[in-house]
């Protein structure tokens, strides 16, 4: 029976590149998928595109492609297993990204490489025709006004499958649901029907397990003495060997770092899942509740018994909007009495912000090393005082000028605050918030671009 | 009776979607799973994270995955705006599961 080999080359936009190249070179892959779009990445990319019409795709696209394109296709002598690449690195501008890939291919002397771009996820113009629509956070599009900067529908497998039928070697998308990037090649290669919900559920499990790359092969896992992971600095990214019935074995390139076993697979299966019987994607409502994992040797795990039911009727749309500025300042205290001095510094800053009338919508003042991650209740479960603490004050303000005053006020602790404050830092960043709404499927028009890219 | 912490029986991973965290608790050994089911009630987990959830968060939910001897807790509202607008140092809540592992029996 035919076995398909799919690798995962990135778990987020800034991810390591070497493990992806290791997979391309030694994984004997049919497909290498790069998942690089977090919730708000596309909104930030949309802002970049407004400034420069040729921008708005993943900043690491060029470097990744320069390294991986030499392994794409069948190789110079046509003898190699054919590798194709699927990625959402197109972000807010898949067409410009595809042109960039063609340019790099030409530079590398790779002729005949087919690059496809998928568009249709950008639904901002369509949404703005009906401003009465309500987002999941309770606001209407009308109330957000011109602060709305992007609206992208989570697409499913359709466009990618079309691009693969058109024989594309590299498929560049914008917003596509993460598991769909992996499900599409399985449906294309095995000819699974778009309403064979059980198979789509199994293929979605494969996508879900792979989409965060190193998170299933030992990343986000090590806890020394309890859960040890060898060679994290050389963590290998995962690949799946899938058959036509949707049975999948998760593994990695021999000799790479990390570990893949039933424990890492179970953690990743439940990651970002709520009800395990209904993991919703544009393609299927996947059911992971009866999945079992079986070790098949070192760093090889069989995943089986995922299921699925009919896909949701609507598509989820992520709306990006500008939501003020976050100003932040930090200062450290160490040695005997550090905790008391950190607390004093916190009181001083909060009082100063009041005295000087700084206007903010929400504020947090915490001591890193004590209560910043888990709050003061959980933070007081330890019976020893920390040797050092770091004050962190952060506030969200409507205006940038107000946000700047937060960090400045923390910095003035140097000469006006408690004894021994050191290492001040301050920053201001614009908040690009994301909310969602549902859109009927027929409001989205997919288009696969091949020859018309240039 | 010897005090035993959750960390000795189980491992955990935290994920985020919008305003909501989900925290998995996975028994190292399948035979400990029934004990986790009995011990880690919704009430127990809610109480542990009471300060972080605040008074207005919707109820915590628990899902069972017996085949992989795991529980999945869903905690809506605990991320106070979610990764895009939260003021938290750990806006994703990546470190939350580690706090749960300190539960003792």
């Amino acid at each position: 029976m035919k076995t398909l080999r799919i690798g995962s080359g990135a778990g987020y936009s800034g991810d390591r590149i070497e493990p992806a190249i290791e997979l391309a070179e030694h994984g004997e892959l049919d497909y290498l998928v790069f998942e690089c779009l977090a919730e708000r990445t596309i909104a930030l990319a949309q802002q970049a595109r407004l400034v420069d019409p040729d921008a708005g795709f993943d900043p690491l696209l060029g470097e990744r492609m320069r390294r991986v394109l030499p392994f794409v296709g069948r190789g110079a002598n046509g003898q190699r297993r054919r590798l194709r690449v699927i990625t959402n690195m197109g972000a807010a501008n898949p067409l410009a990204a595809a042109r960039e890939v063609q340019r790099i291919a030409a530079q590398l002397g790779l002729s005949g490489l087919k690059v496809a771009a998928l568009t249709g996820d950008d639904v901002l113009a369509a949404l703005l025709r009906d401003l009465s629509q309500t987002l999941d956070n309770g606001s209407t599009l009308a109330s957000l006004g011109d602060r709305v900067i992007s609206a992208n529908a989570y697409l499913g497998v359709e466009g990618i499958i079309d691009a693969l039928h058109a024989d594309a070697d590299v498929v560049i998308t914008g917003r596509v649901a993460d598991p769909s990037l992996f499900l599409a090649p399985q449906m294309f290669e095995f000819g699974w029907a778009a309403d064979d919900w059980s198979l789509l559920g199994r293929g979605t499990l494969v996508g879900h397990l792979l989409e965060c790359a190193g998170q299933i092969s030992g990343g986000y896992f090590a806890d020394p003495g309890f859960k040890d992971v060898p060679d994290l600095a050389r963590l290998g990214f995962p690949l799946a060997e899938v058959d036509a019935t949707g049975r999948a074995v998760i593994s990695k390139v021999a000799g790479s770092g990390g570990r893949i076993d039933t424990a890492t697979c179970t953690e990743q299966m439940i990651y970002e899942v709520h009800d395990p019987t209904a993991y919703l994607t544009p393609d299927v409502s996947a059911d992971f509740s009866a999945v079992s994992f079986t070790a098949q040797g070192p760093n090889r795990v069989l995943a089986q018994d995922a299921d699925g039911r009919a896909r949701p009727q609507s598509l989820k749309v992520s709306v990006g909007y500008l939501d003020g500025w976050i100003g932040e300042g930090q200062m450290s205290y160490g040695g005997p009495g550090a905790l008391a001095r950190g607390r004093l510094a916190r009181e001083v800053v909060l009082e100063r912000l009041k005295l000087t009338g700084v206007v903010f919508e929400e504020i947090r003042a915490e001591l890193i090393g004590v209560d910043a991650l888990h709050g003061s209740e959980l933070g007081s479960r330890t019976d020893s005082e920390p040797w050092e603490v770091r004050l962190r004050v952060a506030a969200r303000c409507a205006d940038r000028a107000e946000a700047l005053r937060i960090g400045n006020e923390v910095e003035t602790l140097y000469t006006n605050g408690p004894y021994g404050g050191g290492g001040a830092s301050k920053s201001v960043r614009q908040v690009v918030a994301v909310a969602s709404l549902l859109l009927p499927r027929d409001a989205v028009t997919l288009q696969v671009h091949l020859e018309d890219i240039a | 009776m010897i005090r035993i912490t959750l960390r000795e029986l189980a491992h955990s991973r935290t994920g985020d979607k919008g305003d909501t965290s989900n925290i998995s608790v996975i028994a190292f050994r399948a035979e400990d799973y029934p004990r986790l089911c009995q011990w880690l009630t919704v009430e127990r987990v809610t109480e542990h994270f009471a300060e972080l959830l605040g008074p207005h968060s919707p109820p915590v939910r628990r899902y069972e995955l017996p085949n992989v001897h795991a529980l999945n807790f869903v905690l809506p509202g605990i991320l106070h705006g979610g990764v895009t607008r939260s003021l938290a140092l750990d806006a994703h809540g990546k470190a939350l599961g580690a706090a749960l592992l300190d539960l003792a029996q």
Side-chain angles (χ1 to χ4, degrees), chain A residues 222-275:
Chain A
D223 196 358
F226 288 78
K227 297 188 293 177
D228 291 300
V229 179
D231 210 1
L232 274 174
R234 291 198 57 256
L235 189 67
F237 283 175
L239 68 99
E241 300 158 45
V242 192
D243 72 19
T245 70
R247 273 166 56 103
V249 174
I250 310 294
S251 68
K252 62 189 183 70
V253 171
S256 61
R259 74 181 242 194
I260 294 177
D261 57 18
T262 57
T264 66
C265 289
T266 303
E267 279 199 18
Q268 189 55 25
M269 178 175 75
I270 307 174
Y271 179 72
E272 290 184 344
V273 167
H274 291 177
D275 179 353

Side-chain angles (χ1 to χ4, degrees), chain A residues 49 52-57 61-62 65-66 69 89-90 92-107 113-119 170 172 449-454:
Chain A
R49 189 183 177 174
D52 173 1
D54 288 325
F57 54 82
L61 175 84
M65 288 299 158
R66 258 184 287 279
L69 285 185
M89 277 191 278
N93 202 346
L95 278 167
R99 283 194 294 271
E100 177 72 2
V101 175
Q102 284 184 324
R103 202 178 60 77
I104 292 167
Q107 274 178 357
L113 213 62
K114 272 195 178 178
V115 183
L118 172 64
T119 58
V170 180
I172 312 264
H449 309 258
L450 270 164
E451 284 77 19
D452 57 331
I453 289 169

Side-chain angles (χ1 to χ4, degrees), chain A residues 262 266, chain B residues 25-31 33 36 65-71:
Chain A
T262 57
T266 303
Chain B
V25 177
I26 305 153
F28 285 117
R29 300 175 311 165
E31 58 264 36
Y33 179 62
L36 294 185
L65 294 101
N67 279 5
V68 289
H69 34 90
L71 294 171

